[in-house]
Amino acid sequence: MSAIVGQRDAGVLFRFKDRLPVTDATPMITLGEGSTPLVRSVRLEEAVGCEALYFKLESCNPSGSFKDRGMVVAVAKALERGDTAVLCASTGNTSASAAAYAARCHLRVYVIVPHGNIAEGKLAQAVAHGARIIAIDGGFDDALRLAREITQRHPIALVNSVNPHRIEGQKTASFEIVDDLGDAPDILCLPVGNAGNITAYWKGFVESYQREEATKKPLMWGFQAAGAAPIVAGEPVAEPRTLATAIRIGNPASWEGATNARDESGGDIRAVTDDEIVDAYRRLAQEEGIFCEPASAACVAGLLGRAKDGEDLAGKTIVCVITGNGLKDPERAMAEFAPELHAIAPEVSRVEAEMGL
Ligand SMILES: *Cc1c(COP(=O)(O)O)cnc(C)c1O
């Protein structure tokens, strides 16, 4: 594979073309998405008590989240059909990703976002790429309802994960994990919001098993934020609340995909509190060197919680999906970690004193 990205021989469409809806007419676009690192834990593995714990760093995708894997397929298929515009509802990362690929492919891009509920970094990405932002006085679920209706009325491609091409692209992360480990892990942990990703990972692992690239399928352990846990509760949440904005969703579009993944794998979908999320967010940053979004930390919080509750994980190989980059939400990091800074005189002795030397 060439190291030069942006040509026809790189990215998710190229690497997995035989397992994606790629035809001779599909433009082989890429921003270098996919082929993300699978990094072994150096500290938390011991706290979990498993054989091996890995982090799949989806934060290393071009726009900083896993959304790029599905978006590259959705945008390629929109181009193939002759669409000239794309639209999504977004808690942030979908819009950042859609805007990047649309800019690259000269498509117009519209995003409908819940006003005041988007992390600043994500909005910055969307506007930098030239997206037309429509802020609504409502939540993500309202935004998605509107996006669906508008794309039915106009020749504009809907690029939310209700678009099956998004799921197809996102399943490729499972292929990579199987490739890197030489088999499927025993357990896959990931945060669940609109539930497209858990649906996609499960599809990918089932396909790897069917192709005999894996000898087993993992248990799918999904985690929702306690204030936004409709699947755990078994009913939609009218006013979802959590600081993990990427999973602040009250009525997941891929609800059935998520419960299928859970039940067919023998897995589970549980809730974690915001305090547990922040604790895992801090530990990932300070003990593993991984700066992720609060939503990403939810799966690590959940795994740590289950280990603490006495779940026996000895002998298990576990992968946690780090869905998005911490730089997208710097305000959260500053709120959690930043000390009060006061400037001191630029003198060696003062700096040494500050350093505790
Ligand atoms: C979109 C997103 C999620 C949730 O994924 P779903 O497919 O909606 O369940 C989690 N974390 C991050 C960082 C995201 O961008």
Side-chain angles (χ1 to χ4, degrees):
M1 193 185 285
S2 163
I4 299 173
V5 161
Q7 300 186 341
R8 287 179 57 93
D9 57 353
V12 157
L13 287 169
F14 176 78
R15 182 170 174 188
F16 300 107
K17 57 180 173 303
D18 58 331
R19 298 182 244 182
L20 290 172
V22 171
T23 70
D24 290 344
T26 310
M28 299 297 279
I29 59 173
T30 186
L31 274 168
E33 64 292 324
S35 302
T36 55
L38 189 67
V39 172
R40 180 116 182 221
S41 164
V42 288
R43 299 261 164 68
L44 297 182
E45 182 176 288
E46 202 183 319
V48 171
C50 59
E51 175 75 23
L53 174 63
Y54 296 91
F55 303 107
K56 178 70 168 158
L57 297 190
E58 289 294 284
S59 45
C60 293
N61 276 299
S63 82
S65 85
F66 74 83
K67 300 295 198 298
D68 294 338
R69 282 181 194 277
M71 197 57 71
V72 73
V73 182
V75 169
K77 296 306 277 186
L79 285 170
E80 186 178 335
R81 266 196 316 271
D83 289 331
T84 56
V86 298
L87 166 65
C88 63
S90 183
T91 61
N93 282 333
T94 300
S95 61
S97 183
Y101 286 91
R104 191 162 175 88
C105 300
H106 305 288
L107 292 171
R108 270 175 300 128
V109 53
Y110 304 94
V111 304
I112 305 180
V113 299
H115 183 60
N117 265 328
I118 301 287
E120 194 145 311
K122 302 177 187 181
L123 205 52
Q125 289 179 281
V127 295
H129 291 303
R132 182 76 176 272
I133 314 284
I134 299 110
I136 58 158
D137 195 8
F140 172 81
D141 303 288
D142 298 306
L144 182 58
R145 177 177 50 78
L146 290 161
R148 287 176 125 142
E149 195 166 325
I150 288 161
T151 48
Q152 267 160 24
R153 293 157 56 95
H154 302 275
I156 298 174
L158 179 64
V159 293
N160 280 102
S161 59
V162 293
N163 178 332
H165 297 127
R166 283 275 311 278
I167 305 292
E168 287 299 303
Q170 284 169 213
K171 78 182 178 188
T172 61
S174 299
F175 301 156
E176 292 177 12
I177 291 171
V178 169
D179 240 19
D180 289 344
L181 294 178
D183 202 344
D186 297 301
I187 302 170
L188 185 94
C189 298
L190 81 177
V192 175
N194 215 22
N197 214 27
I198 190 170
T199 303
Y201 267 87
W202 180 240
K203 188 168 196 288
F205 284 121
V206 168
E207 289 181 17
S208 287
Y209 180 76
Q210 286 167 345
R211 291 167 64 104
E212 298 182 2
E213 286 161 355
T215 66
K216 59 189 172 191
K217 291 171 275 184
L219 306 184
M220 301 294 285
W221 284 7
F223 297 96
Q224 300 197 290
I231 298 174
V232 179
E235 57 183 12
V237 173
E239 284 190 24
R241 266 181 250 265
T242 168
L243 57 78
T245 50
I247 52 171
R248 186 188 284 157
I249 288 170
N251 192 9
S254 298
W255 192 310
E256 212 184 305
T259 51
N260 280 347
R262 177 193 66 194
D263 299 342
E264 288 173 17
S265 73
D268 217 344
I269 298 177
R270 296 194 182 181
V272 287
T273 65
D274 278 7
D275 283 349
E276 291 171 310
I277 290 174
V278 168
D279 182 58
Y281 174 67
R282 174 187 299 269
R283 294 190 70 178
L284 279 164
Q286 300 187 354
E287 297 177 41
E288 298 280 359
I290 294 172
F291 185 32
C292 66
E293 286 191 42
S296 312
C299 70
V300 176
L303 177 62
L304 286 167
R306 291 187 69 146
K308 204 165 146 219
D309 289 347
E311 185 107 25
D312 182 14
L313 299 168
K316 303 290 187 212
T317 296
I318 304 177
V319 173
C320 287
V321 183
I322 302 301
T323 48
N325 194 310
L327 288 171
K328 286 168 172 284
D329 198 354
E331 286 172 337
R332 172 56 48 193
M334 293 305 276
E336 294 305 330
F337 308 129
E340 284 284 318
L341 289 180
H342 56 279
I344 55 167
E347 290 160 13
V348 169
S349 60
R350 291 299 313 277
V351 176
E352 281 175 341
E354 254 339 92
M355 291 168 76
L357 299 175

